[in-house]
């Protein structure tokens, strides 16, 4: 198909040309004396990205799923209890992974359309008098429903319950797009992948661990830690200390990561986060005020700044919109998964993105909807979103985000 | 600035990723035994692009301006008379080049907003009883005003005048986008550059010459041909015959040209031309019916399928729209040049392009116009254009173009 | 440093320009309807690479170490006994991984410089009357010592012992370079990574499993299979069946893999293997006849066609040669690891390689050796190797390899 | 063919990966407000490259041949006399170009194997009492014979003759490789192309003009200047002043030029020149002391640091060596041209180059020579060259060059 493809799934996201260029490198010896000059700063910069000074960053050649596995298998023992709310496909999958590794997961079912409930977490922890729950697992941004949980509120709930459980957060579709304050919120383990806010191809699983988590890891060894080797933090830690890896890392992705972090630094992390909010708000207004459609997120406080899940009217198959957009308009939208299959389509708005890209996605989704019989008004979403983009001041939007 | 840049000047155009990849090559010996396997097919394929079987194609390491110079200096002699209508900046520049090489140009001034007048050409030639006019120079697509001349009608006028002048056509912003029927219209020299419909960076000046033009070249040698060496057709012809060049060609551009021609072949030249018409028509309807603005092209028959020049209301500076679009919305629009400076802005819609790209350009131009005080209705152009894009059938559009 | 870097570690290997170009792609939706057209053929082609018709191929976003882990954790249960010879750093690491996952590894220590002993394997299996040994793990090419085990002979020994154990082979530094006949030798699990014979960056862990191994996987589920989720074959199998993956794959590497397999097909797998033997033989002759030095491999039958480990004279530190080559001559050589640290340096000769690259590596290693005081004769290795390269007929070399 | 191609023609030269990456860019508007930030520094940096403060640099989308044409057609008038020694194919071609533009060239025939004779130039100028000779045209490095002329000595000869002629120098295969001191030697026009020492693909024709040359240009306008438009310095000067070009420049090459100049700056121009001398000296010693063959350059003082032309023994066809090297060893050597066709082959050693690349070229040329029956000793050139590379100190070599 002629012309540019418009990629608006919530990951993988558009990789900036600069990053693709940075990855176009000949191979080199990953045990050479000059290699650490590339790698050592990366660990430090990943920590800044989640605003931690005391944490420790790990980079695995894997997807984000591998980093999930690393966090759990390094810090917990067979049969350990963990608490986790489930409110979408990705919170579900993380729970599934935990169970398959032999953890005893206390699942809090929440409606698909809202996020983790600090109150429910508080209550469950308060009831856990003997502290049998070793960790709380929360998805910061549920990619399937376009819902963001309030991690600061979860931390406050845990504190209120005076519970010592570790706090593990899935930040796959939020890191570098939605604020993460690891030290302030005392998050113990954060997981992300390279193919979302980091604007890279998939292939890096990233975890940042708190000191408390690393101590839990030491303690687990005296009990019966879950088995792992590829995802072992200790092997990594030992090799990383001098800038190396226990096995061959993916060089292009490390070079790409350096460039992506440069891009984020140049824009400024605060501004990156504000830009995501700003662009997302335009899309949401277009959807609600322009098209008169509803988001899967039940209330504004749950609305995600990285992906909007748009409910299609009863009787229409959301998948038909996606198929039409892909085949006719060169636009990739995200599908409804599992429980919400067919009920919605998703517009990813994260990573390397600007106003015109969002307006093009709205235009394309609108044409596809009209083609399959959804009677939205032509140009209506663009009219609303573009007026918002015009009038809103990025700087003040930044202030609001800070 | 975050996100993708939207390039909508009428050249250079967006280079497809495939072409950029094809150009990312290590150097090689341009005199090696395998080199002709790359080059020889290129000449043949360029001929197909302008629908000639008897013509001869030349590729210079230059811009299109260089190819202009090649066509004139190889076929004409000092003091020769040529006839050329002037109706925009690029017809003006070609005339200027001819004059600086010592040609005597009979200039037909036409309004900026219409194209070459077959009638006027007929009359001038009919009046030229002794055939002192050696060539007629016509710009097929005047990039400055978004006006397309009817080359078939020019040929008919020349025939009606029974005049033997050569017909030279500037196809810089039309070849591979607007139909060119070299053999059918008996065009004697066509000039183009790589950075427009060919979807490449600038750097190749291309000329396709008829047998009659090559014979005129031979004849000119017996008179007092204009001086040239770098742009000499004979040197090229001799070296090209075996797949080589008289001096070092730009390898990446030759590899890119091969890939670009593959892309055109895969879509089909007829469909490429139909797509340009289809996308252009959406833009024009958005401009006229949506915004209620006028094009520089005075009548539909002059409207260009590769660039639309949009007149801004009196009292507004078109340059302000362009500046705002560039600085705030990451959108590059074309400026008004010379006589029409400030009076218009241009949306290029040629090359590797699709519906969403055009809608994004319309959205961005609309926001920029509103920002500088032009009271167009929000979403109005997108509404009209997207409905056209939805309803129109590409296949029937193709038929119309054929 | 000016000029090209000469990368002669035994992995990562030189990535052909074509492959780097193929990897330079914008992202796309890995759940789109067109994605399987890319992925489905890859599985089939990986099978051809190890000459199996009945096996099943898996591609993980990981290094080869991850694929090791996948093979063991999917097919074995906690406490299962496995047999493995240890004769270098990589056989050691695989054993370590097995142990850390709770397997009971019967280790056969072999001298570093020879490979797996079919006789010893036979004897151990013959003595294992109750078939407590569930699998035999053998490294086909021990990268640390430049030693190749004879997998066909290992299979024959297992057959002679009439033992039903699975046969797992580490082919990380041999696949696509040294012959692997999965069906003929009835290998049950083969592991490789992308960054060696496959000429890609690291980032893909590849496993090919026999039917017997997949049945063992099913049986293990009724016992107490090792825990895994990221590396689960069933999840992969289910998603792969329609061309998708259970989590986001690394798109550039999949595109790169397709291109690398094209390159191998164009040369022909037999010829690729023959070329590796041919180039390796030149290097070995240069080392032995030219320099008068010894290889770590004790006998010609153990010599690896992908890497030569060259013993430096007593009293010289092999690491000094490597450092000098890297810093002064822009040449990366492999170090001696663990037991052989300092005693040798390694020249990797696998992947996208030809005669002049090998001669350059020999020249560079020679200069570095002379610089640190090893009295090899200037030009001696190049003289011998280049005469071999001239006289030997690649075609006959191919026949010998077949 | 597997493995890396070894490109050792004297241009195009190997383009560093960094430069290829820098060229892999999306298009942009060459009239945008940010474009001059790219272009303006380039002019200044090109001046530094030829060590001028008062000169003016021009960049044309063309090959070096185009820049030749620009220098002559902008400064001279029809029928003007110029003086030029001819001692190889490229001095011949420049003379031919001058003649075809109507200049009256006084040709000094020198033997192919020596360079411009300062004495002969002095004598011709001294005899030209009425200063009818307007310019002296000298090739600094004759690529066809591997001969370097002494431009400082030419200037001294012109001074001694007290002759006011302009001094034009072809630096195509010398600039950025062999020293050029424009201000010190009062050179009035220097021509180069992008595909040699500048390590870029072909496509940029570069000229640097002195104030005196620019004044001559003004004066020529009052006489009867040669015709030109594409290569007009005034058009360029006017547009360049604000960072723009009179027609569309080749963006990738401008980005590549910036990167190439960065690379040169990082190494340091003096060191770049010293490295060329150092690498060339190794090759020459290999040829003479190792192989016992002769260079086309008659005396050491004529030997070029960018290309060595090696005479093959009587009765052998040099072209056979080149063909064999290309087809069997993936090595591109330069051919003998015109008068010396078949009598020699050339090893280009300029641009992005190091010791191992030169040794690989020597090895490959040696194998090819032996294959076609030239009885050079195996390994002999590598032995001599590598010992030179080891013993010689780059720093002292630098001093010698300074």
């Amino acid at each position: 198909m002629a012309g540019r493809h418009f990629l608006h799934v919530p990951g993988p996201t558009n990789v900036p040309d600069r990053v693709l260029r940075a990855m176009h490198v000949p191979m080199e010896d990953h045990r050479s004396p000059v290699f650490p000059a590339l790698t050592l700063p990366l660990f430090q910069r990943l920590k800044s990205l989640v605003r931690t000074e005391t944490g420790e960053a790990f980079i695995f050649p894997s997807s984000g799923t591998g980093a999930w596995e690393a966090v759990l298998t390094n810090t917990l023992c067979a049969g350990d209890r963990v608490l986790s709310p489930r409110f979408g496909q990705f919170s579900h999958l993380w729970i599934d992974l935990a169970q398959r590794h032999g953890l005893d997961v206390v699942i809090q079912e929440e409606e698909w359309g809202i996020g983790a409930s600090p109150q429910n977490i508080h209550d469950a922890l308060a009831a856990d008098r003997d502290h049998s729950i070793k960790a709380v697992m929360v998805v910061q941004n549920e990619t399937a429903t376009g819902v963001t949980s309030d991690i600061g509120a979860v931390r406050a709930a845990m504190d209120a319950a005076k519970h010592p459980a570790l706090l593990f957060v899935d930040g796959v579709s939020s890191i570098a797009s939605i604020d993460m304050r690891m030290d302030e919120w005392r998050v113990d383990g954060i997981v992300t992948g390279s193919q979302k806010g980091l604007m890279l191809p998939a292939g890096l699983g990233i975890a940042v661990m708190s000191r408390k988590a690393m101590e839990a890891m030491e303690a687990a060894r005296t009990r019966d830690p879950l088995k792992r080797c590829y995802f072992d933090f200790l092997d990594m830690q030992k090799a990383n200390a001098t800038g190396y890896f226990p096995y061959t890392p993916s060089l292009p992705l490390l070079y790409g990561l350096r460039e992506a972090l440069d891009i984020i630094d140049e824009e400024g992390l605060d501004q990156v986060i504000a830009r995501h909010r700003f662009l997302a708000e335009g899309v949401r207004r277009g959807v609600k005020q322009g098209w008169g459609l509803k988001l899967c997120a039940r209330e504004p406080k749950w609305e995600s700044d990285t992906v909007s899940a748009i409910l299609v009217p009863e009787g229409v198959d959301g998948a038909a919109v996606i198929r039409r957009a892909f085949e006719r308009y060169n636009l990739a939208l995200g599908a409804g998964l599992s429980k919400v299959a067919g009920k919605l389509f998703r517009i990813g708005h994260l990573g390397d993105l600007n106003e015109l890209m969002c307006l093009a996605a709205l235009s394309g989704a609108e044409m596809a909807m009209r083609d399959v019989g959804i009677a939205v008004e032509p140009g209506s979403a663009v009219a609303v979103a573009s007026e918002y983009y015009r009038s809103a001041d990025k700087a003040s939007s930044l202030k609001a985000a800070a």
Side-chain angles (χ1 to χ4, degrees), chain A:
Chain A
M1 259 196 287
R4 172 151 291 156
H5 179 59
F6 284 78
L7 180 65
H8 283 272
V9 295
T13 66
N14 296 286
V15 176
D17 291 312
R18 274 176 66 177
V19 172
L20 283 178
R21 269 199 298 280
M23 291 175 56
H24 196 127
V25 285
M27 289 306 102
E28 65 186 274
D29 182 10
H30 61 295
R31 304 193 199 282
S32 88
V34 302
F35 194 63
L38 164 65
T39 58
L40 287 174
L42 296 177
F43 299 109
Q44 193 56 44
R45 297 174 78 183
L46 286 173
K47 290 169 57 180
S48 301
L49 203 65
V50 295
R51 307 188 197 269
T52 182
E53 289 187 2
T54 58
E56 190 158 352
F58 295 92
I59 305 171
F60 292 97
S62 77
S63 76
T65 303
W68 272 355
E69 187 162 314
V71 167
L72 300 184
T73 57
N74 276 278
T75 58
L76 299 169
C77 295
D80 276 357
R81 299 186 77 195
V82 298
L83 174 70
S84 187
R86 176 158 61 186
F87 48 95
Q89 179 66 2
F90 292 92
S91 39
H92 166 72
L93 284 173
W94 198 13
I95 288 166
D96 177 59
L97 180 143
Q99 290 172 328
R100 285 159 72 173
H101 275 287
L103 296 172
D104 174 17
V105 189
V106 180
I107 303 173
Q108 292 184 325
E109 301 288 353
E110 306 288 355
E111 205 182 349
W112 285 37
I114 68 168
S117 159
Q119 187 60 51
N120 292 352
I121 288 171
H122 170 271
D123 295 350
L125 294 179
D128 178 40
R129 300 258 161 74
D130 59 352
H131 297 169
S132 71
I133 293 172
K134 299 301 174 204
V136 177
M137 291 160 47
V138 181
V139 170
Q140 183 176 24
N141 189 71
E142 174 54 66
T143 324
T145 57
V147 158
T148 301
S149 296
D150 182 340
I151 303 300
V154 169
R155 164 48 67 199
M158 291 174 71
D159 286 353
K162 294 190 168 37
H163 196 287
L166 296 161
L167 174 56
F168 292 150
V169 176
D170 171 343
V172 171
S173 61
S174 56
I175 299 305
S177 308
I178 293 171
D179 207 10
M180 164 52 65
R181 302 181 168 273
M182 183 175 187
D183 282 0
E184 183 180 329
W185 298 335
R186 279 170 293 126
V187 178
D188 295 302
I190 291 166
V191 168
T192 197
S194 46
Q195 80 277 16
K196 309 270 181 171
L198 280 170
M199 309 177 289
L200 288 161
L204 296 183
I206 292 165
V208 189
M209 308 301 291
S210 73
R211 281 196 194 159
K212 183 177 167 189
M214 295 307 279
E215 283 158 14
M217 178 178 76
E218 290 302 325
R221 304 205 161 223
T222 64
R223 295 190 294 148
D224 176 22
L226 296 179
K227 299 285 188 295
R228 84 228 84 77
C229 183
Y230 184 77
F231 289 117
D232 194 274
F233 281 153
L234 273 190
D235 289 356
M236 272 288 168
Q237 201 176 37
K238 219 158 80 179
N240 290 170
T242 49
Y244 299 99
F245 289 85
Y247 37 71
T248 320
S250 184
L251 300 181
L253 285 168
L254 295 180
Y255 279 100
L257 178 57
R258 181 170 70 179
E259 189 76 14
L261 291 169
D262 283 352
I263 291 174
I264 290 171
D265 282 354
E266 287 164 23
E267 185 173 0
L269 179 57
D270 288 337
Q271 176 55 30
V272 169
I273 291 167
R275 174 171 51 82
H276 277 82
R277 172 165 298 181
F278 173 72
L279 294 174
E281 183 59 22
V283 170
R284 288 191 287 260
R285 292 186 183 206
V287 169
K288 293 190 283 192
Q289 299 168 26
W291 293 335
L293 295 178
K294 290 210 168 91
L295 295 175
C296 182
R298 294 302 156 97
E299 291 175 73
K301 71 169 182 173
W302 298 120
E303 291 170 354
S304 162
D305 287 340
T306 60
V307 55
S308 291
I310 297 149
L311 297 169
V312 294
E314 294 274 333
V316 179
D317 182 6
V321 177
I322 297 161
R323 199 162 41 240
R324 180 71 180 168
F326 187 82
E327 288 171 0
R328 175 65 184 81
Y329 301 113
N330 220 341
L331 167 66
L333 300 168
L337 302 172
S338 178
K339 273 195 196 178
V340 291
K343 298 185 182 163
L344 54 78
F345 67 88
R346 294 176 294 152
I347 297 179
H349 34 69
L350 78 164
D352 186 46
L353 210 73
N354 59 28
E355 292 87 348
L356 292 201
M357 294 165 83
C358 289
L359 295 176
L362 287 171
S363 299
E366 183 182 288
M367 290 193 284
M369 283 196 289
R370 288 180 56 78
D371 286 346
V372 303
I374 303 177
V376 289
E377 181 72 16
S380 57
V382 164
V384 174
S386 66
E387 283 299 286
Y388 174 75
Y389 290 147
R390 282 187 56 233
S391 63
D393 186 320
K394 280 189 186 181
S396 67
S397 162
L398 169 61
K399 228 173 298 166

